[in-house]
Amino acid sequence: MTPSALPLGDPAPKDGLLPSDAAAAAAERKFGLYVHIPFCAVRCGYCDFNTYTATELGGGASQDAYAATAAQEVRFAAGALTASGLPERPIETVFFGGGTPTLLPAEDLAAILGTAVQQWGLAPGAEVTTEANPDSVTPESLQLLADAGFTRVSFGMQSAVPHVLAVLDRTHTPSRVPQAVQWARDAGLKVSVDLIYGTPGESLADWKHSVEEALSYEPDHISAYALIVEEGTKLAARMRRGEVPPIDDDDHADKYLLADELFTAAGLNWYEVSNWARTPQDACRHNLAYWRSDDWWGIGPGAHSHVGGVRWWNAKHPTAYAQRMAAGESPAVGRETLDADTRYLEDVMLRTRLAEGLPRELLRPEGRHEIAGLIADGLVEPKAAIAGTVLLTLRGRLLADAVVRRLLP
């Protein structure tokens, strides 16, 4: 998903070319594609992503025109990477996020994917995911996506409790989720479900019910995220007015512990702080590429990209994005070349969250000296640390940010 606020940075060149350093060791890195679909039927009260509910935004940014504009950026990206000296690499993962990608006709999503395959090809066994709301798919649309090469669908379930869904402004009913999951399975797609815990008014019993319902669908993958109330959202305003209670960190911790216990008992294992998979093969390989700092190009308004230590971001508004594409220019409005300190911070911050752990040799001396203290505090698994990997304990997962701060110089 793409945040609504873009960072500051240096101007991005109109030709989209990357500095020569970006090509160094590129053959050793995997390449993926993120496709942002910025449309939603209803803007959820907690959402801070770059999404729009208007059917027509004009200037080539309407839902009807969007697939053609996104495909144009795919072709632009392929040309820019080649001209920048990047080696030819097939796509390892594709992720359609949003917004609600499945608000577009399945034929449009298939057309964007088809353009990407024409430009780069798909690696054997490539993972191709789309996010979807349970009420935005049909058996026919899911089958069309599977036939086009999609391998996985991630449903935004969030909760199985009607009053919790109402606070979140979700439009589906709980009974729709198992129906959509079955349709996806019938089409041959892998299934992930997303849950959110800590919604104002959600009891521990409510959360347990949601987890147990999600598990009853026997998904291949579950993501469970703590609700973060972002400034500028409808939910933040309601909280400020006292209409709903504030977020409680202890409540979040209790719900995380309960979820981990229930997921593990059902045969799903955590591989990242907020993600559990039935087998290692069911882990979301696209997100793993983010956490391992591989290369990806982000298609669409506000989408972020990263190639060889260079990060850039596109124009936020769909109309501005479409205008740049119509002019044959890069849609990027800013970029940064990551320095050694930033890359170190991101490696520690992201790799520590993974069940595979952070290789100890990647740490600077100051960080390595902290490991004994982290073990003593019950935040790092002792055997893993001795073996050369910084691996979080369950308590460490609850305090992941604190662990990261101690590992940084």
Side-chain angles (χ1 to χ4, degrees):
M1 296 186 179
T2 300
S4 61
L6 297 181
L8 299 174
D10 299 323
K14 292 183 177 181
D15 58 13
L17 297 185
L18 301 176
S20 58
D21 290 351
E28 301 172 14
R29 300 190 301 270
K30 295 179 179 179
F31 176 61
L33 195 69
Y34 171 76
V35 182
H36 186 63
I37 308 297
F39 308 109
C40 281
V42 175
R43 187 172 180 84
C44 298
Y46 64 92
C47 181
D48 186 44
F49 297 123
N50 188 36
T51 61
Y52 303 84
T53 58
T55 301
E56 293 289 333
L57 289 168
S62 69
Q63 290 186 28
D64 289 344
Y66 188 76
T69 306
Q72 185 177 353
E73 188 185 357
V74 170
R75 291 187 289 270
F76 180 92
L81 290 175
T82 298
S84 298
L86 274 293
E88 292 186 7
R89 292 175 292 173
I91 302 171
E92 300 278 349
T93 63
V94 186
F95 196 100
F96 284 70
T100 306
T102 44
L103 273 187
L104 291 187
E107 293 84 354
D108 284 3
L109 302 183
I112 298 170
L113 176 62
T115 302
V117 173
Q118 290 171 3
Q119 298 299 316
W120 292 292
L122 285 178
E127 175 192 273
V128 182
T129 303
T130 185
E131 293 181 328
N133 284 347
D135 56 358
S136 67
V137 296
T138 65
E140 294 76 19
S141 68
L142 290 167
Q143 188 62 61
L144 195 154
L145 292 174
D147 292 343
F150 284 77
T151 65
R152 188 173 178 275
V153 60
S154 179
F155 287 115
M157 174 181 172
Q158 318 311 6
S159 175
V161 180
H163 77 82
V164 175
L165 291 171
V167 173
L168 295 174
D169 292 322
R170 300 296 291 179
T171 58
H172 69 272
T173 59
S175 61
R176 179 71 175 206
V177 181
Q179 188 178 40
V181 168
Q182 187 58 53
W183 292 341
R185 290 199 181 286
D186 291 344
L189 296 165
K190 292 280 190 177
V191 173
S192 176
V193 295
D194 286 359
L195 296 172
I196 290 178
Y197 58 89
T199 298
E202 178 190 60
S203 68
L204 192 62
D206 289 334
W207 173 238
K208 183 179 181 183
H209 175 66
S210 293
V211 170
E212 290 175 339
E213 277 295 303
L215 289 171
S216 75
Y217 313 148
E218 299 184 347
D220 307 291
H221 182 281
I222 292 182
S223 298
Y225 301 110
L227 178 66
I228 298 174
V229 181
E230 302 285 359
E231 283 301 317
T233 62
K234 175 182 173 182
L235 186 56
R238 293 187 65 194
M239 197 168 287
R240 198 162 47 246
R241 294 193 296 266
E243 297 174 7
V244 296
I247 295 298
D248 183 330
D249 290 341
D250 289 336
D251 176 67
H252 276 184
D254 289 341
K255 287 172 179 173
Y256 183 90
L257 292 171
L258 177 61
D260 187 69
E261 176 186 343
L262 294 174
F263 293 154
T264 301
L268 285 90
N269 297 304
W270 81 279
Y271 68 93
E272 190 274 340
V273 168
S274 299
N275 290 274
W276 291 257
R278 195 162 298 281
T279 71
Q281 292 72 35
D282 293 321
C284 180
R285 288 167 19 219
H286 186 83
N287 285 344
L288 283 170
Y290 293 157
W291 296 318
R292 293 169 177 165
S293 297
D294 283 328
D295 291 349
W296 71 89
W297 191 294
I299 302 293
H304 285 54
S305 304
H306 172 268
V307 174
V310 181
R311 180 182 292 129
W312 66 94
W313 44 92
N314 288 350
K316 174 184 170 182
H317 197 277
T319 298
Y321 166 77
Q323 289 171 346
R324 286 171 176 263
M325 294 312 309
E329 299 176 358
S330 167
V333 294
R335 82 177 187 189
E336 60 180 340
T337 300
L338 306 181
D339 59 23
D341 287 342
T342 303
R343 297 186 80 162
Y344 177 75
L345 182 152
E346 293 187 1
D347 269 343
V348 172
M349 180 177 68
L350 297 175
R351 288 176 180 260
T352 304
R353 296 177 63 90
L354 297 174
E356 67 190 37
L358 169 72
R360 189 168 173 168
E361 66 268 17
L362 292 182
L363 287 171
R364 292 175 176 171
E366 303 94 320
R368 289 197 292 271
H369 292 156
E370 280 291 327
I371 292 176
L374 291 167
I375 293 173
D377 291 340
L379 301 176
V380 166
E381 175 64 42
K383 293 181 180 178
I386 294 170
T389 302
V390 179
L391 179 60
L392 298 183
T393 62
L394 180 55
R395 182 167 180 266
R397 281 189 259 160
L398 290 171
L399 299 171
D401 290 343
V403 176
V404 168
R405 286 195 294 271
R406 289 174 62 174
L407 291 171
L408 296 175

